[in-house]
Amino acid sequence: MKRKTWLGFMFLAIFALLVSGCNFSSTEKDTGDKKDDGEKKEDGKVAQVLNLGVTADIPTLDSTKAHDAIAFDVLNNVNEGLFRQDENNQPVPILAEQHEKSEDGTVHTFTIKESTWANGEPVTAADFEYAWKRVMKEAGPYNYMLVTAGIKNAEPIMDEEMDAAELGVKAIDEKTLEVTLESANPLFETLLAFPTFFPQNQKFVEEQGDQYALEPENILSNGPFKLTNWTHEQSWKMVKNDTYWDAANVKLDEVNTIVVKDPSAGANLYETGKVDRVRLTSALIDQYADNKDFNIEQESGIVFLRFNHNHEILKNPDIRRAIGMAIDRQGLTDVILKDGSAPLYGVVAGGFYFSPEKKDYRELNGDFNKGTVEEAKALWEKALADTGQKELTVSLNIADSDEMKKVAEYLQAQLEDNLPGFKLEIKAVPFAQRLEIEKAIEYELSLSTWGPDYSDPMTYLDMWVNGSSSNRMDYSNPKIDELVQQARVETDLSKRYELLLSIEKVLLEEDYAIAPLYQRGAAILKRDTVQNLVKHPSGAEFTYKGAYIE
């Protein structure tokens, strides 16, 4: 037997043992008739079980504290709010049975649909008031979303000038929620589909204390599914929530998710039928490119370099420009990634966001800081001399996924080859730890990802205002703060779009505050038996509610 073949069998055997060790047992008694996806149950029907692979664990499922794509994806399926994204990524009323607004668009009154939490208690207007005020009280990382929504007093509360109790949201009675805005806001309904605006049951949250949302038993669902198992850094399991108001239209019985950081392991899990959808990295794309289940998907997420703006050398904008200019993005996307990712020279992704005149944002604003290696080297040497230095050694904070490791190694080679005296040290940590290091600004460079929260360029732009929890690098420019504020209250959509274009110009043309690298693509394997799995370009990635196994 050839050595490569023998090793292949060994890997398959190891991963079979790995998966058998993943505990997907429910806290409820199993019926015993469930089979793997695609197999038949004893009654002859196809088992409605969806199995997925992801690259990282869930940091938290507290909707007031969640700040990452994985948590938002789970929250979107175990909970829901006033609105939900439909299959066309448009906000549709879900728990908002009725929605009335004042003539000037500042007062919105919602009638809450009859629905219950998984413990049988009704979902009330007070649950929304409590959760939204808790976002502000706890200074949650997404509290700026309430500012973006224009909710009365959200900004002074975020700036610690007012108390969270003064937020413009009020439960009039058990089923009536009144929300007051600073001014009419065209984004308001779109934002309400985001998990930060989900309700929370005050009694349950306070009973759990600091353990809330850290384990399945500490989480209360009101959505299509509920979490029944969560083995940290390994797997989690959601099952259909029979108390959900629309349970009759939830077709899946289970959604199982395995944390697989090694892409080869993910591919093996797919081949052995253990997962139904898996993302491939560059090393595997050529191997699977002719597979009937192989697909390339364009995505709206971006990858970029953050700079610590307090750093003695990195605070120099020309140093940052030289670093950004020295990187061959085309080589990165075409040779290293090969997954449909595209070079990016702006902060807003292309292909998803259009002006009122139907012009793509990315095409309207063009590329920033695009130049040759020679130009980068000349700028670098001048800027380094201006700082009184002959060389620079910095570390790069990255998540420990295969994609981020490959990108970091490419950046290391590019920057050390193209910028004399530059040395880059790579520090790989788990995804959640990478976020915590960024929040504490205890890094020099950080390889960051950003997935848009809602379908508007502002989701990439207002994160750079002074004090934003998503800023995470102590960057500040009063021009951006002012432009963002103007755009939030501008009701003329064409004028508003001009403001949005100007924000990016200040960020990248004037300051070069970050170094955009690429807009993500996804090379995936997905079984054709998986139907109606809705993938969203913004907000939570997936909606499982209408999905089924054919």
Side-chain angles (χ1 to χ4, degrees):
M1 181 181 291
K2 292 182 179 180
R3 178 176 175 81
K4 183 183 290 186
T5 305
W6 180 81
L7 286 172
F9 281 122
M10 285 295 293
F11 274 122
L12 285 172
I14 291 169
F15 289 122
L17 289 172
L18 169 73
V19 175
S20 66
C22 290
N23 179 16
F24 284 131
S25 62
S26 170
T27 54
E28 300 174 356
K29 185 177 180 180
D30 288 336
T31 60
D33 65 346
K34 292 175 181 175
K35 307 291 184 183
D36 285 342
D37 168 36
E39 295 186 14
K40 298 293 181 67
K41 297 193 294 184
E42 291 178 358
D43 59 7
K45 296 181 179 179
V46 174
Q48 293 301 311
V49 179
L50 176 64
N51 299 307
L52 303 170
V54 297
T55 58
D57 193 20
I58 312 164
T60 178
L61 283 176
D62 183 343
S63 60
T64 69
K65 298 178 180 179
H67 52 73
D68 67 284
I70 292 173
F72 291 143
D73 187 56
V74 178
L75 284 166
N76 186 53
N77 291 286
V78 301
N79 291 109
E80 68 183 8
L82 297 171
F83 284 74
R84 178 181 284 281
Q85 286 194 88
D86 66 9
E87 64 275 9
N88 299 312
N89 309 307
Q90 297 301 307
V92 294
I94 204 80
L95 291 186
E97 193 166 57
Q98 295 181 33
H99 177 200
E100 300 174 354
K101 52 186 173 182
S102 62
E103 189 173 339
D104 65 358
T106 61
V107 180
H108 294 250
T109 304
F110 300 95
T111 301
I112 309 300
K113 186 191 299 290
E114 290 290 340
S115 63
T116 64
W117 294 98
N119 65 0
E121 294 183 10
V123 177
T124 69
D127 295 331
F128 287 92
E129 179 183 357
Y130 170 71
W132 296 10
K133 288 183 176 178
R134 186 167 177 260
V135 171
M136 305 308 296
K137 181 181 179 181
E138 300 290 335
Y142 268 63
N143 60 3
Y144 70 90
M145 289 284 279
L146 281 76
V147 177
T148 302
I151 299 176
K152 188 175 179 63
N153 297 331
E155 188 162 19
I157 294 169
M158 186 176 72
D159 295 338
E160 299 182 347
E161 297 170 0
M162 295 180 71
D163 189 87
E166 298 179 78
L167 186 69
V169 55
K170 181 180 180 182
I172 304 300
D173 56 39
E174 187 173 278
K175 293 299 179 183
T176 307
L177 182 72
E178 181 182 271
V179 183
T180 303
L181 307 183
E182 298 284 359
S183 60
N185 190 327
L187 289 179
F188 183 57
E189 291 183 3
T190 298
L191 292 168
L192 292 182
F194 194 75
T196 301
F197 294 91
F198 286 177
Q200 292 185 342
N201 182 293
Q202 181 174 0
K203 179 183 176 183
F204 183 85
V205 172
E206 292 178 350
E207 284 178 348
Q208 304 306 312
D210 60 7
Q211 296 303 301
Y212 175 64
L214 297 181
E215 300 292 344
E217 61 270 21
N218 309 129
I219 300 163
L220 191 59
S221 300
N222 75 316
F225 298 89
K226 56 185 179 181
L227 196 69
T228 58
N229 180 273
W230 180 8
T231 304
H232 294 276
E233 296 295 334
Q234 293 184 33
S235 62
W236 60 86
K237 173 179 181 176
M238 291 182 282
V239 301
K240 180 177 178 178
N241 179 9
D242 292 331
T243 67
Y244 177 56
W245 68 272
D246 197 25
N249 289 313
V250 179
K251 300 175 183 178
L252 291 173
D253 292 321
E254 296 179 13
V255 180
N256 298 316
T257 304
I258 304 174
V259 178
V260 192
K261 296 182 180 180
D262 177 11
S264 296
N268 281 319
L269 291 172
Y270 187 87
E271 288 191 351
T272 55
K274 300 301 182 182
V275 296
D276 304 312
R277 188 184 193 279
V278 68
R279 188 170 185 142
L280 300 176
T281 53
S282 56
L284 297 167
I285 288 174
D286 290 342
Q287 179 181 345
Y288 289 96
D290 295 329
N291 190 297
K292 67 179 180 63
D293 295 340
F294 178 84
N295 291 282
I296 292 286
E297 299 175 351
Q298 184 188 30
E299 297 190 328
S300 54
I302 67 170
V303 178
F304 62 97
L305 282 176
R306 291 181 193 267
F307 300 94
N308 184 336
H309 283 242
N310 297 318
H311 189 277
E312 182 181 2
I313 308 301
L314 296 176
K315 67 182 180 182
N316 183 306
D318 284 338
I319 290 287
R320 300 195 295 267
R321 289 182 198 278
I323 290 173
M325 195 180 292
I327 300 165
D328 176 9
R329 291 158 176 77
Q330 200 72 55
L332 173 60
T333 58
D334 293 358
V335 179
I336 304 300
L337 297 173
K338 299 185 292 185
D339 60 358
S341 294
L344 184 64
Y345 293 90
V347 73
V348 177
F352 290 97
Y353 308 97
F354 299 88
S355 71
E357 295 75 33
K358 309 303 180 186
K359 300 288 187 180
D360 188 306
Y361 183 102
R362 188 70 276 127
E363 292 181 5
L364 285 172
N365 243 13
D367 294 335
F368 296 95
N369 204 47
K370 189 174 184 180
T372 65
V373 171
E374 290 73 21
E375 291 171 325
K377 181 179 178 181
L379 183 61
W380 167 258
E381 291 178 337
K382 179 182 181 301
L384 204 60
D386 289 344
T387 63
Q389 304 293 319
K390 293 184 179 180
E391 57 186 30
L392 175 65
T393 299
V394 293
S395 61
L396 176 63
N397 173 46
I398 71 167
D400 61 353
S401 69
D402 181 75
E403 176 189 359
M404 294 298 103
K405 288 177 181 178
K406 286 184 179 295
V407 172
E409 289 168 0
Y410 179 83
L411 296 179
Q412 183 182 53
Q414 285 276 294
L415 294 172
E416 292 185 354
D417 287 348
N418 297 334
L419 301 178
F422 189 96
K423 296 295 181 185
L424 187 67
E425 299 172 351
I426 299 170
K427 294 184 177 180
V429 296
F431 174 73
Q433 187 178 343
R434 191 267 286 173
L435 292 175
E436 293 304 315
I437 290 170
E438 281 189 357
K439 286 195 294 182
I441 317 180
E442 294 177 346
Y443 66 88
E444 292 167 323
L445 294 175
S446 189
L447 185 58
S448 293
T449 59
W450 183 257
D453 300 324
Y454 50 93
S455 297
D456 187 84
M458 185 66 90
T459 188
Y460 299 90
L461 300 171
D462 67 356
M463 61 192 287
W464 308 113
V465 300
N466 186 31
S468 167
S469 57
S470 297
N471 189 310
R472 302 205 287 267
M473 57 186 194
D474 270 357
Y475 165 71
S476 177
N477 188 319
K479 290 183 183 179
I480 285 185
D481 298 349
E482 177 61 25
L483 288 166
V484 167
Q485 185 59 38
Q486 291 177 26
R488 284 174 177 164
V489 299
E490 180 57 68
T491 56
D492 183 313
L493 297 184
S494 293
K495 289 181 180 178
R496 178 180 181 273
Y497 219 81
E498 288 300 321
L499 293 169
L500 297 179
L501 293 168
S502 297
I503 295 169
E504 189 183 58
K505 289 175 182 176
V506 174
L507 180 75
L508 296 179
E509 192 171 70
E510 293 187 19
D511 294 343
Y512 203 69
I514 65 169
L517 296 174
Y518 59 96
Q519 180 175 338
R520 290 177 117 168
I524 64 164
L525 294 173
K526 183 176 80 71
R527 301 192 197 287
D528 57 12
T529 55
V530 178
Q531 298 293 313
N532 205 31
L533 177 61
V534 177
K535 182 178 181 181
H536 305 290
S538 60
E541 185 174 15
F542 291 109
T543 293
Y544 306 137
K545 179 179 177 180
Y548 63 95
I549 307 301
E550 191 172 57

